[in-house]
Amino acid sequence: MLEPPPLQQLRRTYVRVGGRTLIYFSGCDYFRLASHAGVLRAAHAGLRKYGLSVAASRLTTGNHRLYGELEERLAGFFAAKDALVVPSGYVTNLIVAQALAGTFSHALVDEESHPSLGHAARLLDCPVLKFEHRSPAALAGTVRRCGPGARVMVLTDGMFSRDGAAAPLDEYQSALPRDAVLLVDDAHGAGVLGRTGRGTLEHAGVGRAQVIQTITLSKAFGAYGGAILGTPALRQRILDRSQLFVASTPLPLPLANAAMEGVKVLARGASLRRRLHANASYTKAALRASGHDLPDTPGPILFFAPSNSAAASRLKARLLRAGIYPPFMHYPGGPAGGYFRFVISSEHTREQLDRVIAVLRGAFFGRSDSVPPRMEANQRK
């Protein structure tokens, strides 16, 4: 994998790269809170008031009151019984798995889940089985393969980052034994999906019984770090059994303070969510009207897999001519030849949306340069 060029993000919807300023439809900063004035002020204030780091693990001398305040705010935002802030989004799942190792007879993992969930499953100290992406029937069949009396944990993304699809959590729960546990990595759904931004659980109408939700603070909330949303019993088990949590220095205090403000912004951010989903709906509707077979996903993401490197190069050139940074990437588990992932934010203007719509219409309508998302998915099966 080649290292991409460095980008300097500017004015919330632009990047500076190679001497050019280009419109930016990428990343995971769905509300652009990483450059929100209030979030930036909170980071600066946190640096002045608290310094940069506690320079110790939380279970030694590094348990600053700010972490507890952030956890209370997160538990309130997500209507969870408890929250535990951890150093990054990736390690949320690993910490849970360390704490619960030996509890389950089988770990069942969506085949297209984030790599951190596959990593976590291996730490659970039980057989790991994969099931077909977003398929309740396949999950039910995999549960039957585990045999009677199996105690299973299901590990899945909430909103899948590649194309914005959501896991059918309500159907999963119907297919599972009563004592099964769902571990939902909601890094991309948190703050974005659901009427109040509580993520994929709220979007699917699923309660918190037998569900552990993990999130990152570096996407919708514009800061850094991760959090585990569950019960006080889970929190205590992590404190007792997860060496990754116990031996880690927590996130820097200025970023914890910034995350507090990010949660506050999204707690009153109904208009931000409306704008985000309106922008995404406008873009998807315009492309469907031109003949694109876009899947009906709730996330503000457009996924295109070019048929070959020449097709990818043509689209990159069209985007650059239109003043748009080409969001082409290789990512673990994605198509081998790479793919384009366009992310619509709440802050993109109508003119910017119209510009990317025009490029995609010209590149794909009536041509075979790109495999439509549904065809590409079928070819993988």
Side-chain angles (χ1 to χ4, degrees):
M1 186 179 294
L2 297 176
E3 185 176 356
L7 303 177
Q8 178 188 357
Q9 299 190 24
L10 301 170
R11 304 196 304 276
R12 309 194 78 185
T13 56
Y14 294 89
V15 289
R16 185 77 175 167
V17 57
R20 295 188 64 184
T21 298
L22 303 170
I23 303 169
Y24 187 55
F25 287 100
S26 197
C28 307
D29 189 3
Y30 298 108
F31 303 103
R32 298 300 195 261
L33 292 195
S35 54
H36 183 279
V39 175
L40 293 178
R41 283 195 299 270
H44 293 155
L47 182 61
R48 290 193 305 272
K49 290 171 65 176
Y50 308 120
L52 186 59
S53 174
V54 294
S57 68
R58 287 184 68 179
L59 294 194
T60 57
T61 58
N63 196 19
H64 197 279
R65 66 172 178 81
L66 198 58
Y67 301 128
E69 292 174 7
L70 176 55
E71 288 166 349
E72 288 182 12
R73 185 159 292 178
L74 286 166
F77 180 91
F78 286 98
K81 291 182 178 179
D82 210 337
L84 182 66
V85 171
V86 302
S88 77
Y90 190 102
V91 303
T92 56
N93 300 317
L94 309 187
I95 289 170
V96 169
Q98 280 189 338
L100 298 180
T103 304
F104 302 98
S105 65
H106 298 80
L108 314 183
V109 187
D110 183 291
E111 65 183 356
E112 294 191 13
S113 285
H114 189 270
S116 65
L117 287 172
H119 190 173
R122 294 194 295 274
L123 294 178
L124 285 169
D125 194 25
C126 63
V128 178
L129 303 175
K130 291 187 176 182
F131 62 92
E132 184 181 346
H133 179 49
R134 299 181 61 247
S135 172
L139 174 60
T142 307
V143 170
R144 287 194 293 272
R145 285 172 53 198
C146 296
R151 179 89 196 280
V152 301
M153 170 177 268
V154 177
L155 300 89
T156 180
D157 291 27
M159 185 177 96
F160 290 84
S161 63
R162 187 190 307 169
D163 60 3
L169 300 181
D170 52 342
E171 296 178 72
Y172 284 179
Q173 284 196 328
S174 298
L176 291 173
R178 292 177 61 87
D179 63 351
V181 173
L182 270 171
L183 174 57
V184 181
D185 182 334
D186 218 13
H188 293 270
V192 172
L193 298 186
R195 184 181 63 83
T196 64
R198 290 174 180 165
T200 313
L201 277 65
E202 185 176 46
H203 172 76
V206 167
R208 293 196 165 274
Q210 299 296 105
V211 177
I212 301 167
Q213 183 183 23
T214 60
I215 67 166
T216 181
L217 300 170
S218 63
K219 295 179 172 46
F221 296 100
Y224 194 75
I228 298 162
L229 304 164
T231 63
L234 174 63
R235 179 194 184 94
Q236 187 59 52
R237 194 171 175 97
I238 290 170
L239 299 187
D240 292 339
R241 300 192 59 185
S242 173
Q243 293 181 351
L244 183 52
F245 177 78
V246 170
S248 292
T249 301
L251 68 157
L253 293 165
L255 293 177
N257 210 46
M260 291 262 288
E261 182 62 24
V263 176
K264 187 185 299 183
V265 170
L266 287 191
R268 58 173 187 267
S271 62
L272 282 176
R273 281 185 289 277
R274 283 196 298 269
R275 196 158 71 232
L276 173 67
H277 294 295
N279 280 352
S281 296
Y282 173 81
T283 306
K284 291 177 181 180
L287 292 173
R288 289 190 183 109
S290 299
H292 284 286
D293 185 21
L294 294 178
D296 185 18
T297 60
I301 298 168
L302 305 174
F303 165 72
F304 298 101
S307 56
N308 52 51
S309 59
S313 296
R314 284 194 293 270
L315 181 52
K316 289 177 187 178
R318 286 174 181 264
L319 290 163
L320 287 169
R321 285 197 298 271
I324 299 170
Y325 179 76
F328 185 75
M329 62 189 66
H330 293 83
Y331 198 76
Y339 59 98
F340 290 90
R341 178 181 182 268
F342 295 86
V343 177
I344 310 302
S345 83
S346 61
E347 304 311 296
H348 282 114
T349 66
R350 186 58 58 89
E351 188 276 334
Q352 291 171 332
L353 299 176
D354 286 339
R355 192 179 299 194
V356 76
I357 289 166
V359 172
L360 294 175
R361 278 174 170 165
F364 296 138
F365 185 51
R367 299 181 56 163
S368 59
D369 281 354
S370 176
V371 180
R374 286 176 182 164
M375 288 179 58
E376 193 272 343
N378 290 337
Q379 288 173 352
R380 288 197 305 272
K381 294 179 182 177

